[in-house]
């Protein structure tokens, strides 16, 4: 095990340091002093590359946050119907991805304070309706952290928590443990590396070749050390995955996740300096996100897997303990023994085991 940890540690550092666009990323500022980021063009964005190619109508929307960033939000207006001709007055459903695709200097706190409220408000203003929220991985933590502080609740109709990450102290993810226990993200940040990016073009192309070898199971090779042993991913998904993933994440949010792993509690970002914490929070230690504060009458659909290394069963139990006082008629808890973290978004039978039961859950609300 010690040798395996050393191999993973060495590979991770070499992979990150070999990524050309990883070096020396600094914030660019416009004339008003507000940090800016490039807006993805709709010509080559998610709509064109992933949605319209599969026969669905798709729209790109830009959402500006209070701190001056522009987020790209994708809308599929026909509710996933390829052949629909008329638009119904359907309830909006917001899907929130996990840790990757975050920008250079955000922790969980900025996502909760700025990104999620801006997106919620935009969808609410456009539709005039409360939202059904579906989060995966960090996406679940974002909404739970917001709800724990009584934020966004007035715009929420229901919440789906897939592979929920409220606590991380029991994670069995080998890669996450190595990065957290060896303070790799903190070290890289101190050296001026502000983006955690494992997408090296040469390595991705090599992996594509390797993954096409019939005797190689890349769904195990690429995911097990990080997210757990997937049960039900088809080998054909790997070409699609490697065309788009892994995406980079802000080093600060990786550091924040490492803090949660080492500490076992869910707190705001720790600046590891009582004076800096005092400046940000008015106290020498970061405040906690208290999951007991989640509204007890909010409809919740929660699904977790027995093979999930990031959303570990023991950590999910801590979350369920905090939800013990929830209205039993307003919560559905689903446990899928064989599912791991990535099965929820890429499994060949996720529709049957997860999405259809969730839609049935929504149907009972109306």
């Amino acid at each position: 095990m010690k040798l395996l940890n050393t191999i993973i540690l060495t590979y991770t550092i070499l992979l990150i340091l070999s990524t050309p666009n990883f070096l020396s990323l600094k914030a660019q500022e416009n004339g008003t002093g507000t940090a800016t980021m490039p807006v993805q063009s709709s010509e080559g964005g998610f709509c064109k590359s992933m949605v319209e190619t599969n026969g669905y109508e798709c729209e790109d929307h830009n959402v500006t946050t209070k701190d001056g960033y522009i987020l790209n939000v994708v809308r599929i207006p026909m509710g996933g119907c390829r052949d629909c001709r008329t638009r119904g007055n359907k309830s909006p459903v917001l899907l929130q991805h996990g840790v990757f695709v975050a920008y250079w200097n955000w922790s969980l706190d900025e996502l909760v304070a700025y990104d999620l409220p801006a997106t919620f408000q935009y969808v609410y203003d456009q539709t005039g309706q409360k939202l059904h929220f579906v989060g995966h991985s960090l996406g679940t933590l974002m909404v739970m952290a917001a709800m724990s502080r009584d934020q966004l609740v007035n715009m929420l109709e229901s919440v789906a928590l897939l592979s929920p990450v409220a606590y991380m102290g029991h994670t069995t993810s080998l890669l996450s443990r190595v990065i957290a226990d060896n303070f790799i993200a903190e070290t890289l940040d101190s050296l001026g590396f502000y983006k955690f990016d494992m997408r090296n073009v040469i390595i991705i192309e090599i992996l594509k070749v390797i993954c096409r070898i019939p005797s190689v199971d890349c769904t195990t090779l690429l995911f097990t050390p990080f997210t757990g042993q997937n049960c039900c991913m088809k080998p054909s998904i790997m070409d699609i995955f490697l065309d788009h993933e892994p995406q980079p994440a802000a080093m600060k949010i990786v550091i924040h996740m490492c803090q949660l792993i080492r500490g076992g509690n869910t707190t705001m970002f720790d600046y590891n300096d009582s004076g800096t914490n005092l400046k940000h929070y008015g106290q020498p230690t970061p405040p906690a996100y208290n999951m007991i504060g989640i509204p007890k009458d909010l409809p919740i659909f929660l699904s977790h897997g027995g093979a999930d290394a990031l959303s570990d069963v023991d950590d999910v139990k801590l979350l369920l303990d905090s939800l013990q006082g929830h209205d039993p008629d307003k919560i559905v808890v689903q446990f899928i023994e064989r599912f791991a973290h990535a099965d929820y978004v890429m499994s060949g039978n996720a529709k049957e085991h997860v999405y259809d039961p969730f839609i049935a859950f929504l149907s009972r609300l109306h």
Side-chain angles (χ1 to χ4, degrees):
M1 180 63 71
K2 186 175 181 180
L3 175 61
L4 182 57
N5 285 355
T6 303
I7 292 172
I8 292 176
L9 173 62
T10 304
Y11 170 78
T12 303
I13 294 174
L14 288 176
L15 181 57
I16 292 173
L17 294 179
S18 67
T19 305
N21 65 350
F22 184 84
L23 301 175
S24 301
L25 287 177
K26 301 289 185 180
Q28 298 178 348
E29 295 188 351
N30 60 27
T32 63
T34 303
T36 61
M37 66 178 293
V39 180
Q40 190 177 45
S41 167
S42 60
E43 293 181 1
F46 188 80
C47 274
K48 294 294 182 185
S49 64
M50 292 292 290
V51 182
E52 293 177 0
T53 53
N54 285 290
Y56 296 101
E57 185 180 342
C58 188
E59 301 171 359
D60 273 301
H61 294 256
N62 289 333
V63 176
T64 303
T65 65
K66 284 186 177 180
D67 57 342
Y69 287 86
I70 300 174
L71 311 177
N72 179 242
V73 177
V74 171
R75 181 190 181 218
I76 303 176
M78 294 300 186
C81 177
R82 287 187 176 97
D83 302 317
C84 295
R85 294 292 181 267
T86 58
R87 300 170 185 256
N89 187 28
K90 298 180 180 179
S91 300
V93 179
L94 178 63
L95 310 181
Q96 178 60 53
H97 61 75
V99 68
F100 295 106
V101 203
Y103 198 47
W104 77 277
N105 195 31
W106 289 342
S107 69
L108 167 68
D109 304 336
E110 286 75 33
L111 301 180
V112 172
Y114 300 110
D115 289 26
L116 208 57
T119 306
F120 265 63
Q121 193 66 55
Y122 182 87
V123 175
Y124 184 78
D125 290 344
Q126 293 291 314
T127 64
Q129 300 183 67
K130 291 185 176 182
L131 287 67
H132 297 286
F133 179 91
V134 182
H136 175 251
S137 190
L138 181 70
T140 68
L141 181 52
M142 289 168 61
V143 76
M144 286 189 285
M147 289 191 296
S148 76
R149 294 178 168 265
D150 199 29
Q151 298 171 359
L152 310 180
V153 177
N154 62 324
M155 291 184 281
L156 266 174
E157 188 71 30
S158 72
V159 170
L161 308 173
L162 309 182
S163 292
V165 178
Y167 303 95
M168 298 190 72
H170 294 93
T171 182
T172 56
S173 166
L174 184 57
L175 183 58
S176 298
R177 278 288 176 192
V178 169
I179 293 173
D181 293 344
N182 292 279
F183 292 83
I184 293 175
E186 288 86 347
T187 300
L188 291 171
D189 182 74
S190 70
L191 295 173
F193 300 120
Y194 303 124
K195 185 170 70 167
F196 190 89
D197 192 350
M198 295 192 294
R199 188 171 180 81
N200 180 281
V201 176
I202 296 175
I203 292 178
I204 292 296
E205 292 306 314
I206 292 173
L207 284 174
K208 285 183 178 181
V209 173
I210 293 174
C211 290
R212 292 188 186 111
I213 301 173
S215 59
V216 176
D217 181 4
C218 274
T219 64
T220 297
L221 176 68
L222 298 184
F223 291 98
T224 300
F226 183 33
T227 60
Q229 175 69 59
N230 302 297
C231 72
C232 310
M233 288 169 57
K234 297 179 180 178
S236 58
I237 196 68
M238 293 314 302
D239 270 344
I240 299 173
F241 174 80
L242 291 172
D243 279 342
H244 300 274
E245 299 285 345
Q247 291 287 329
M251 189 65 73
K252 188 173 182 179
I253 202 167
V254 176
I255 293 173
H256 199 169
M257 295 302 101
C258 290
Q259 292 176 355
L260 304 189
I261 290 172
R262 291 191 298 264
N265 298 316
T266 306
T267 65
M268 299 183 78
F269 187 83
D270 189 352
Y271 290 91
N272 285 314
D273 177 78
S274 58
T276 307
N277 283 336
L278 196 64
K279 179 182 177 181
H280 281 271
Y281 309 124
Q283 60 186 59
T285 57
Y289 288 110
N290 188 355
M291 300 305 161
I292 297 178
I294 295 174
K296 301 186 185 308
D297 59 348
L298 179 72
I300 295 177
F301 178 90
L302 188 155
S303 182
H304 66 118
D308 196 328
L310 284 177
S311 178
D312 185 83
V313 172
D314 288 336
D315 283 326
V316 175
K317 185 179 183 300
L318 291 175
L319 171 60
L320 293 175
D321 287 344
S322 70
L323 295 174
Q324 279 188 352
H326 208 84
D327 183 341
D329 294 327
K330 296 291 182 69
I331 186 169
V332 170
V333 178
Q334 180 191 60
F335 176 68
I336 307 176
E337 180 70 42
R338 297 179 61 209
F339 261 39
H341 208 68
D343 280 312
Y344 279 89
V345 289
M346 289 186 284
S347 168
N349 59 7
K351 178 181 183 299
E352 172 189 350
H353 290 297
V354 183
Y355 308 156
D356 287 347
F358 169 62
I359 292 174
F361 166 79
L362 291 183
S363 299
R364 292 196 296 270
L365 300 179
H366 297 283

